[in-house]
Amino acid sequence: MNLKVKHIIATALFAFIALTSANAQCIDLVKTKGFTYLDTSKYIPEARFNALPLREGDNVDIYKSFFKGRTYRIVVVGAENMPKLNFKVTNFQRQILYDSNITKEESWDFVSDKNQNLIISVEVPEAAKDKKPQSGCIAVVVGFSY
Amino acid sequence: MKIRLFPLIFLFGLAIWFMSSCNSGENANTDELAGETIDSSDIREEILISMLAPSDMAVMLMDNPDLHFNKDIINPSSNYKKYNTNSKIALNIGVYTADLSYASLFDQEQITYDYLDIVKGMSEEIGITQSIEKRHLDMIKNNKLDKEHMMKIINESFMNTDAYLRENNRQKVITMILIGGWVEAQYIAVSLTNDSPETNPKLTESILAQKISLELMNKALENVKGDKTLMPLKNDIDKIYKLYLLLEDNMSDANFKEFCNLIKQVRNSYIV
C-alpha cells in the first residue's frame, strides 16, 4: 500500500472518530447544560433529542408542535468552545415570536395560546475572518411545566 | 515509526467499524432498515423535524383527570415475541412506549416496568444498545415514584434511543418508532372516547389538536416515495389526515366514528 493511500485511510479514520466523539458529546450537552438551564424541577424535558454538531456560521431550523394552554421553556445551548448562540422562534409564515438577539437570554418561557407548529431557528455566529471556524455541539431542549 | 503506526491505526479503525456493524441491527432476521446514510459531516443549513415522541404524545392526550387506565386496550406484553423483522420491532417499540407512558400516568408501576423492559429488549434486538438504563429500571422497580418522576425517566430513556439512532444515521428507524407511538397513543385516546365526541369533550379536543403533529409527520415523510418500508406508513398517515380535514369541516358523530375506526384499523395492523 503506498503512502498516499495510507494517508487517505488514516484521515478518514480520524474523521470518523472525531465525528463519533462529537456526537457523543451532544447527549452530554443536553443532559448537563441543557437540563440545568431548563430547570428540571420546574419543567419536564420533552423526549426528542434536538442536538447536533455545527460549525461557526452554520444554522439549524427545528420544527416543533406546541399545544394550547401548555407552558413551555425553550433552551438553546452550545458546547463550551462555541460562541453565544442566537435563536428565533417563528411561525411558518416566519413572523417572529421571540428573538434572543433582543433579550440576550438562553431560554424563552411562554404559554402557547393555540395548537401550533413553530420553527426554532438557531444561528451560530460566524468566526472572525482571520480565525478558523470552531465546531461543536448545539442543543435545543424543550420542556413543559406539569 | 510511520510504518509501525499505520497497522495500529488500521486495526483500531477496523475494530470501530466492526463494533458499529454489530450495533446496527444487521443480525435481525431482515435488514430492510439497513443502509441508511445521512451525511452530517458538512452541514451548513440543517432542518430537524421534531415530531412528538410517543411519551410526550401520551401526556398531551391522556393527561386528563377524568380518564382511567384500561389494561385491555394496550398491546398485550406477550405480543412482543412475534415481532421478528426490524420494521415490526421499530413500529412496536413506539407502540409499547406509548402504552407504558399511558400506564405511568395512572400509577401502573408494574406495567410501566414490564413494558420498559420489553422495549429495552426489543431495542437491543435491532442494535440500539443505549436506550433504557438499568438504573432507571431499578428506580421504577424499587421506589414509589410520582407521575412527574416517571415521566422524566421515560422521556430520558426515549431521548437516549433517539440520540443513539441519530448518531448512527438510522433516521428511518426513529421515524417508524414515532409513527408507531403516534398511532398507539391515538388508539388509546379514541378507545377511551367509546367512539363518541361527547364522552369526554376535553379528550376529543386533545385528539383533534394532534392534527398539527400529523402535519409535521407529513412533512418528515415528504421524500419517502419509493421506500417500500415507509410508503405504507405514509399512506396510513395520509388517510388519517384526510379524516382530520373532514372533522374540521364537519364534526359529526358519524365522522368521528369513522375517524376512530380508521385509527383502530391502522393500529391493529401494526401490532399483528
Side-chain angles (χ1 to χ4, degrees):
Chain A
M1 206 180 304
N2 69 36
L3 203 60
K4 197 176 174 187
V5 175
K6 286 177 183 177
H7 270 285
I8 291 168
I9 294 173
T11 307
L13 281 175
F14 280 123
F16 174 79
I17 292 163
L19 184 66
T20 308
S21 160
N23 277 328
Q25 286 162 15
C26 291
I27 187 81
D28 291 339
L29 177 69
V30 169
K31 291 186 182 180
T32 53
K33 205 171 171 184
F35 282 8
T36 303
Y37 278 94
L38 185 67
D39 188 352
T40 52
S41 68
K42 292 183 184 157
Y43 291 88
I44 295 175
E46 289 199 350
R48 293 306 311 278
F49 173 70
N50 300 313
L52 73 170
L54 289 180
R55 288 175 311 196
E56 286 179 288
D58 289 355
N59 57 62
V60 59
D61 281 355
I62 295 173
Y63 293 56
K64 238 203 83 45
S65 301
F66 294 90
F67 294 93
K68 186 180 173 181
R70 289 253 168 215
T71 304
Y72 292 94
R73 174 171 287 180
I74 299 173
V75 172
V76 177
V77 289
E80 290 304 323
N81 65 325
M82 296 293 266
K84 190 168 167 61
L85 306 170
N86 302 319
F87 77 99
K88 290 186 180 77
V89 181
T90 68
N91 61 19
F92 277 33
Q93 289 73 46
R94 293 286 176 178
Q95 288 172 310
I96 298 173
L97 308 179
Y98 177 81
D99 185 348
S100 73
N101 273 317
I102 297 168
T103 64
K104 310 294 178 198
E105 300 282 347
E106 283 89 355
S107 66
W108 181 42
D109 298 349
F110 75 107
V111 179
S112 186
D113 60 353
K114 56 187 167 192
N115 301 312
Q116 56 190 329
N117 288 324
L118 298 176
I119 304 169
I120 305 163
S121 301
V122 183
E123 177 201 317
V124 188
E126 283 189 30
K129 278 183 182 164
D130 56 339
K131 286 188 178 166
K132 194 178 170 224
Q134 291 281 310
S135 62
C137 282
I138 70 103
V140 176
V141 182
V142 179
F144 57 89
S145 70
Y146 188 71
Chain B
M1 180 64 187
K2 275 182 187 171
I3 293 165
R4 283 183 188 166
L5 187 62
F6 183 76
L8 276 178
I9 294 170
F10 185 75
L11 283 173
F12 184 50
L14 202 65
I16 288 174
W17 172 80
F18 178 73
M19 283 188 292
S20 84
S21 297
C22 288
N23 288 342
S24 66
E26 287 172 18
N27 54 349
N29 287 0
T30 55
D31 62 351
E32 71 272 34
L33 300 182
E36 312 158 43
T37 53
I38 296 169
D39 183 13
S40 57
S41 61
D42 193 27
I43 294 166
R44 296 302 299 180
E45 289 185 16
E46 181 78 42
I47 291 178
L48 295 181
I49 298 177
S50 190
M51 297 179 277
L52 269 188
S55 48
D56 293 326
M57 175 87 182
V59 175
M60 298 306 154
L61 279 167
M62 262 82 73
D63 176 21
N64 179 334
D66 298 330
L67 297 181
H68 59 280
F69 182 72
N70 181 354
K71 189 173 188 289
D72 296 335
I73 56 181
I74 60 176
N75 189 17
S77 57
S78 56
N79 272 356
Y80 87 92
K81 291 175 198 147
K82 63 184 182 188
Y83 307 132
N84 57 6
T85 66
N86 282 353
S87 308
K88 275 285 179 193
I89 292 171
L91 266 180
N92 282 283
I93 286 174
V95 167
Y96 280 128
T97 304
D99 288 341
L100 70 91
S101 304
Y102 167 51
S104 75
L105 288 171
F106 295 90
D107 302 320
Q108 302 290 320
E109 291 94 350
Q110 190 59 48
I111 294 175
T112 307
Y113 175 85
D114 291 344
Y115 277 48
L116 263 178
D117 203 28
I118 289 171
V119 168
K120 185 175 189 294
M122 288 168 73
S123 301
E124 284 168 359
E125 221 169 309
I126 57 170
I128 306 166
T129 53
Q130 293 157 19
S131 59
I132 294 148
E133 298 170 38
K134 190 175 175 299
R135 71 184 172 98
H136 283 151
L137 282 171
D138 291 344
M139 279 166 82
I140 293 174
K141 194 174 187 177
N142 303 326
N143 300 290
K144 176 82 186 157
L145 301 176
D146 60 24
K147 246 194 296 193
E148 208 171 306
H149 206 149
M150 291 272 253
M151 272 191 247
K152 284 177 187 165
I153 289 177
I154 294 166
N155 277 6
E156 194 175 332
S157 298
F158 191 86
M159 190 182 277
N160 289 343
T161 300
D162 195 6
Y164 184 84
L165 290 170
R166 176 92 56 76
E167 286 161 8
N168 288 280
N169 293 331
R170 298 177 69 191
Q171 198 55 42
K172 211 192 285 187
V173 178
I174 191 68
T175 303
M176 297 192 80
I177 292 173
L178 294 171
I179 292 173
W182 192 95
V183 168
E184 179 70 359
Q186 282 285 26
Y187 171 81
I188 295 167
V190 300
S191 299
L192 295 172
T193 67
N194 297 321
D195 301 347
S196 164
E198 310 301 333
T199 305
N200 184 328
K202 191 179 168 206
L203 178 59
T204 304
E205 199 182 309
S206 300
I207 292 169
L208 296 178
Q210 290 303 325
K211 175 173 170 269
I212 61 164
S213 60
L214 204 65
E215 282 167 356
L216 278 196
M217 201 174 274
N218 265 330
K219 201 162 186 56
L221 293 171
E222 263 170 8
N223 300 316
V224 302
K225 273 183 188 157
D227 185 310
K228 67 178 177 13
T229 319
L230 289 178
M231 242 350 250
L233 304 182
K234 184 181 173 3
N235 290 339
D236 294 337
I237 298 302
D238 287 344
K239 278 189 270 181
I240 296 169
Y241 191 68
K242 275 182 192 154
L243 285 190
Y244 262 120
L245 295 178
L246 185 67
L247 286 176
E248 211 167 51
D249 193 41
N250 178 12
M251 182 62 194
S252 66
D253 284 2
N255 286 347
F256 189 75
K257 195 172 169 51
E258 192 182 345
F259 176 84
C260 294
N261 286 339
L262 176 62
I263 295 284
K264 289 175 188 174
Q265 182 201 319
V266 170
R267 182 271 193 172
N268 289 333
S269 72
Y270 290 178
I271 67 157
V272 288

